[in-house]
Amino acid sequence: MSCYVQHCRECNIAIPQAETDTDGVTYYKIKVNVGEITWSVHKRYKEFLELHKKLVNEHTVTKDILPGKKIIGNKEPNFIERRRIGLEIYLQTILSFLQKSMPDELFDFLEFGKYDVILIVKKLAADFLQNGDCYLLNDSGFNFNVLLLYAISERLKLPCPDSENNEFNFSHVLDFCSRLECLAIKGGNHNVGTSNIIYNKLNFELSSFKNVKKFECYNIASHMIYNLMTLRETVRIITVYNSKLKSPEDILLSDNIHKEWSCEMDPNMIWTKLKVVDFSWNEIQTMKSLTVLTPNVKTINLNGNLLNTIEDMTPLTYLGHLSLSNNNITQVFDLHTKLGNVIYLNLSSNKISDLRAFSKLFSIEVLDLGSNSVAEIEQIQHLSGLQNMNYLVLSGNPVSTIVDYRIKVLGILKKRTSDFCLDNERPTQKELDTVAIMQALKVAKEGKTLLDR
């Protein structure tokens, strides 16, 4: 990002070309360079004229250095080219004259406010002074993009004094950040405006946030984040979507150079307050590190990742909800030895065909196996011992297309009341009556009376 305070001697301006649109309006493309940062601005001649009047009246700029007007022939290519050269010389002269005391009017004209650290932070300060309390009362908190967080991080490093104007005082930003409870960050792999700045190539730190309980990230580059220490002490819910995480530690240990975890982990690196982890729609292939980094987690969502197995989660004694839909899970084994007392399990949209591994999940209340590969009705028998299960989804499996599918499933599971929900629907009275008749016929066929049973 640009920082004119530090790179004022490396600032250059050029107008490499002029463009005339279909309406006959000519725009002059201004290229601004501050150190390694560059961006472009398109301005009409009348905007140059407005800028010049302000600079003449308020900053003692010489009146006759701006190329003059021309009423007739101002659309001719030769004239536009001469004006382009003249306007370039004008801006370069102005920059040389006002370099040390760059006026706001020139900053605004060249759109420094979109790319300069100091100006971005000043704008934030004014916004938080006026609207900060409203943002804090909003349940969704305040949405930062990576650019804003980078600007705050860089401003913390600068030795320059704070603004004399209270409206732009940096303390307003720090105060707001320290009180914010819901922090949402949005990144991207695209350029910032017309500049060569790319959002996800901006690193930033989060030490200013002292009270965040809900931390959300969307399309960020996690390796660009440093200093998460304060968040580890307060965050209860973390959500990271579409950020190409390969494993949970990519974000949970983003400020650790080697991203290494073990049972002997430094306690300061563990997220002890974390209750909900949602890393959906990434590229995660293993979730094992959660057993150490988030020891008190209650809910884990890893939908839309690249998991192909379910690892041992028993160290997570509080884990009750586990959602792993839209992964590559094909076979599962001995789930009762891996999932502890999970009561909600979502494995929809995987490739599971054998249900034997589910037979001893006695704590399960909700089981979603929709859109898998279960084809045989006999597989449902493996779920018949799950007495606490009151919600089951099998729709989208081949088995759900067989004749009298619902009646057969309800019969195998011995569900005779409407308290049970199959495929998001409670049994109708007709279905329950049919199940009861089928059970009676089965007993009769076996040569037993109901009393014998």
Side-chain angles (χ1 to χ4, degrees):
M1 276 183 66
S2 161
C3 185
Y4 186 79
V5 170
Q6 290 185 313
H7 302 285
C8 62
R9 295 182 180 277
E10 302 171 59
C11 181
N12 297 290
I13 303 176
I15 303 180
Q17 66 185 85
E19 299 173 350
T20 301
D21 64 17
T22 55
D23 296 324
V25 179
T26 300
Y27 291 88
Y28 296 89
K29 182 179 179 180
I30 305 167
K31 184 178 180 181
V32 184
N33 283 86
V34 181
E36 296 180 354
I37 305 303
T38 181
W39 67 90
S40 61
V41 181
H42 289 75
K43 297 292 182 180
R44 299 175 62 177
Y45 176 77
K46 71 175 186 178
E47 293 175 279
F48 280 88
L49 193 59
E50 292 167 0
L51 168 69
H52 186 59
K53 288 178 181 178
K54 295 176 183 177
L55 296 180
V56 170
N57 293 334
E58 300 177 26
H59 300 282
T60 65
V61 170
T62 304
K63 189 174 182 178
D64 59 359
I65 62 172
L66 181 72
K69 289 183 178 181
K70 184 177 181 182
I71 305 300
I72 300 175
N74 60 4
K75 306 296 182 184
E76 295 176 358
N78 290 338
F79 173 77
I80 291 174
E81 176 62 14
R82 290 196 301 272
R83 176 175 276 180
R84 180 194 67 78
I85 295 171
L87 292 175
E88 181 177 78
I89 294 171
Y90 167 76
L91 287 179
Q92 292 170 347
T93 302
I94 292 296
L95 178 63
S96 177
F97 178 65
L98 299 174
Q99 188 177 63
K100 293 183 179 180
S101 58
M102 191 77 154
D104 292 340
E105 293 85 355
L106 188 53
F107 272 141
D108 292 342
F109 181 81
L110 296 175
E111 299 182 0
F112 269 77
K114 296 180 180 179
Y115 312 106
D116 187 85
V117 166
I118 299 295
L119 296 181
I120 289 173
V121 171
K122 281 185 174 182
K123 184 178 179 181
L124 265 184
D127 185 20
F128 291 157
L129 176 62
Q130 182 175 358
N131 304 308
D133 288 339
C134 292
Y135 295 146
L136 293 172
L137 292 173
N138 191 331
D139 290 338
S140 60
F142 182 83
N143 294 326
F144 285 90
N145 61 39
V146 170
L147 182 75
L148 297 179
L149 292 173
Y150 175 85
I152 294 172
S153 303
E154 291 300 301
R155 179 63 183 85
L156 285 168
K157 301 174 186 177
L158 294 177
C160 57
D162 212 340
S163 174
E164 295 179 0
N165 186 338
N166 179 60
E167 182 182 9
F168 303 123
N169 201 303
F170 187 41
S171 63
H172 301 317
V173 176
L174 297 179
D175 177 66
F176 177 84
C177 292
S178 68
R179 294 193 291 152
L180 187 67
E181 293 190 0
C182 181
L183 171 61
I185 305 172
K186 185 177 181 180
N189 293 309
H190 53 290
N191 292 72
V192 179
T194 60
S195 73
N196 62 344
I197 305 167
I198 297 175
Y199 282 100
N200 280 353
K201 290 188 177 181
L202 298 172
N203 58 358
F204 58 93
E205 59 121 298
L206 300 169
S207 64
S208 300
F209 298 90
K210 313 291 186 184
N211 198 36
V212 174
K213 294 178 175 59
K214 187 176 182 181
F215 179 40
E216 301 178 351
C217 298
Y218 304 91
N219 195 15
I220 60 147
S222 59
H223 66 280
M224 303 303 288
I225 306 176
Y226 61 101
N227 199 344
L228 285 168
M229 202 61 68
T230 56
L231 268 64
R232 289 191 179 92
E233 299 172 0
T234 62
V235 170
R236 289 169 170 76
I237 301 173
I238 184 170
T239 301
V240 183
Y241 288 161
N242 295 318
S243 297
K244 297 185 178 181
L245 301 182
K246 304 296 182 184
S247 62
E249 56 267 33
D250 283 353
I251 181 70
L252 298 177
L253 295 178
S254 62
D255 51 349
N256 186 315
I257 295 176
H258 302 294
K259 308 289 187 298
E260 296 176 353
W261 65 277
S262 70
C263 294
E264 290 77 37
M265 198 81 197
D266 180 351
N268 292 323
M269 304 302 287
I270 296 175
W271 299 68
T272 56
K273 299 288 181 65
L274 203 53
K275 304 299 182 185
V276 178
V277 170
D278 190 345
F279 293 159
S280 299
W281 307 108
N282 285 286
E283 299 174 0
I284 293 175
Q285 300 178 36
T286 174
M287 57 182 177
K288 189 65 176 175
S289 61
L290 292 174
T291 60
V292 172
L293 298 178
T294 62
N296 300 313
V297 70
K298 294 182 177 181
T299 299
I300 295 175
N301 292 333
L302 292 176
N303 304 325
N305 278 280
L306 302 177
L307 297 169
N308 55 30
T309 188
I310 298 178
E311 297 161 304
D312 182 12
M313 295 284 107
T314 53
L316 299 175
T317 55
Y318 299 101
L319 181 63
H321 287 64
L322 179 62
S323 187
L324 305 176
S325 69
N326 289 279
N327 276 277
N328 295 324
I329 300 171
T330 302
Q331 293 183 318
V332 287
F333 303 97
D334 300 324
L335 288 180
H336 65 288
T337 67
K338 299 178 180 180
L339 298 185
N341 296 316
V342 169
I343 62 173
Y344 174 99
L345 180 60
N346 182 356
L347 289 171
S348 61
S349 299
N350 279 283
K351 301 172 185 177
I352 299 168
S353 59
D354 193 325
L355 302 184
R356 279 176 289 183
F358 297 86
S359 63
K360 296 181 180 180
L361 290 179
F362 300 124
S363 62
I364 281 291
E365 296 177 9
V366 177
L367 180 59
D368 189 342
L369 295 170
S371 300
N372 274 278
S373 303
V374 180
E376 301 171 356
I377 195 66
E378 291 76 16
Q379 287 291 330
I380 310 303
Q381 191 66 45
H382 297 301
L383 307 180
S384 62
L386 307 182
Q387 298 301 312
N388 290 323
M389 184 175 64
N390 54 38
Y391 189 102
L392 174 65
V393 177
L394 291 169
S395 58
N397 284 273
V399 70
S400 66
T401 64
I402 68 175
V403 177
D404 294 330
Y405 149 74
R406 285 181 60 85
I407 301 298
K408 291 178 180 177
V409 171
L410 292 171
I412 293 172
L413 298 179
K414 301 178 182 178
K415 300 298 182 180
R416 301 180 183 178
T417 68
S418 60
D419 293 338
F420 181 75
C421 189
L422 175 61
D423 296 340
N424 302 309
E425 293 183 19
R426 296 193 181 279
T428 64
Q429 189 58 50
K430 182 178 180 181
E431 288 176 330
L432 293 174
D433 292 343
T434 304
V435 171
I437 292 171
M438 290 178 63
Q439 292 292 326
L441 292 173
K442 182 178 180 181
V443 169
K445 186 175 181 181
E446 292 174 352
K448 300 176 183 179
T449 66
L450 290 176
L451 186 59
D452 292 334
R453 293 174 62 86

